[in-house]
Amino acid sequence: GAGVSQSPSNKVTEKGKDVELRCDPISGHTALYWYRQSLGQGLEFLIYFQGNSAPDKSGLPSDRFSAERTGGSVSTLTIQRTQQEDSAVYLCASSPTATGGSSPLHFGNGTRLTVT
Amino acid sequence: SQQGEEDPQALSIQEGENATMNCSYKTSINNLQWYRQNSGRGLVHLILIRSNEREKHSGRLRVTLDTSKKSSSLLITASRAADTASYFCATPRSNDYKLSFGAGTTVTVRA
C-alpha cells in the first residue's frame, strides 16, 4: 500500500525566499508529525497534528515556520524568509494513533532543503 | 531536549559478525522504539519494546530494555551488507505523544 509521500524530494532556494513542503500521510492515520534532521544529527520535533485538535507547535524554531493540515490529511510546512541554518532534511511521519506514543511512526523519505 | 542517546556513534563490522548498539534515556517511559534509516531515506520502524518487557526478538534483531538503568540495546546478528544504515532509538515521555530521537549509531557492514 501507499506510504507517506513527501514533495519535493529536493529543494534548493535562495536565502530570503519562502518555501512550502508537502506531506501526504497514510490514509486513515490521524496523527501527523514534522521533524527536522540536520546533517549527522538526530531528529528535532517541529509540530504535531492529531485529528481535529489544535496542533502542538512547541517545536517550531521561529515564527518563520508554520504548518497546516487540511481536511485531516495533507499537511504543508511553510518556511518564510529562509535562512542558511534552515538547510536540513524535513521529515514527515504519520501514525494511526498517538496514544502515549505507543504507535510506531511511518516516515516519508523527506525533503532535503538547501538554502544558498 | 534529547531523550535518547545512542552509543557508539559509529560502528564498522565484517559481514557475518554481530553488531551491538546501546541507548540511554533520561526520564521514565512506557515504551522504547528502534528505527533504521538508510542513506537518503526516511526512518523505518524496527521494533517496539514496552516498559514491562525485558527482551524482544524480531528476525535477526534482539532488543533488551533495563528500566532500572534507563538503557536499551539493539543486537543485529549475522550482519549483512544491507544492514548498513543509521539506527535510532526513540522514546516517548510518559503520557506524551512526541517521540524523542537520539543522534543515532551509524553501522557499516563490510563485505
Side-chain angles (χ1 to χ4, degrees):
Chain A
V4 177
S5 177
Q6 290 188 247
S7 61
S9 55
N10 280 284
K11 177 72 176 178
V12 180
T13 189
E14 290 181 354
K15 178 181 172 181
K17 295 283 179 69
D18 298 352
V19 294
E20 282 190 355
L21 313 179
R22 178 187 167 107
C23 172
D24 277 278
I26 292 173
S27 178
H29 280 194
T30 58
L32 187 147
Y33 302 75
W34 283 96
Y35 285 87
R36 178 168 70 175
Q37 185 177 30
S38 301
L39 186 63
Q41 301 293 311
L43 276 66
E44 175 189 4
F45 167 78
L46 297 178
I47 190 169
Y48 162 76
F49 295 91
Q50 170 62 25
N52 295 321
S53 302
D56 177 352
K57 305 179 182 180
S58 61
L60 295 179
S62 78
D63 58 8
R64 296 185 297 104
F65 287 72
S66 63
E68 59 180 26
R69 187 179 185 191
T70 53
S73 181
V74 172
S75 177
T76 302
L77 177 68
T78 301
I79 309 173
Q80 295 178 306
R81 304 180 303 280
T82 52
Q83 304 294 313
Q84 288 186 330
E85 61 262 28
D86 300 334
S87 296
V89 176
Y90 290 81
L91 292 163
C92 174
S94 69
S95 70
T97 178
T99 305
S102 59
S103 291
L105 299 187
H106 301 257
F107 281 84
N109 286 329
T111 294
R112 180 175 297 279
L113 175 65
T114 304
V115 182
T116 61
Chain B
S1 63
Q2 210 156 283
Q3 163 79 311
E5 302 262 351
E6 291 91 347
D7 171 63
Q9 288 186 331
L11 185 58
S12 179
I13 56 173
Q14 201 73 32
E15 203 166 26
E17 293 181 338
N18 296 342
T20 300
M21 61 211 84
N22 303 296
C23 169
S24 59
Y25 57 92
K26 297 172 184 168
T27 62
S28 62
I29 58 172
N30 56 25
N31 70 77
L32 184 144
Q33 303 178 31
W34 284 92
Y35 288 79
R36 182 188 74 228
Q37 184 179 36
N38 291 91
S39 181
R41 311 280 288 184
L43 281 72
V44 174
H45 178 258
L46 295 176
I47 198 164
L48 181 153
I49 186 166
R50 301 193 185 282
S51 59
N52 60 355
E53 298 176 306
R54 291 296 167 259
E55 188 171 311
K56 201 162 182 180
H57 297 254
S58 176
R60 294 182 295 110
L61 304 180
R62 173 178 167 250
V63 168
T64 63
L65 179 64
D66 187 334
T67 53
S68 67
K69 295 180 179 178
K70 291 187 170 62
S71 68
S72 173
S73 68
L74 171 65
L75 168 68
I76 306 172
T77 60
S79 62
R80 305 168 182 169
D83 295 328
T84 294
S86 291
Y87 293 81
F88 296 85
C89 68
T91 53
R93 289 183 289 264
S94 292
N95 301 317
D96 195 344
Y97 44 74
K98 292 182 292 222
L99 280 182
S100 178
F101 290 81
T105 292
T106 300
V107 175
T108 303
V109 181
R110 305 185 307 273

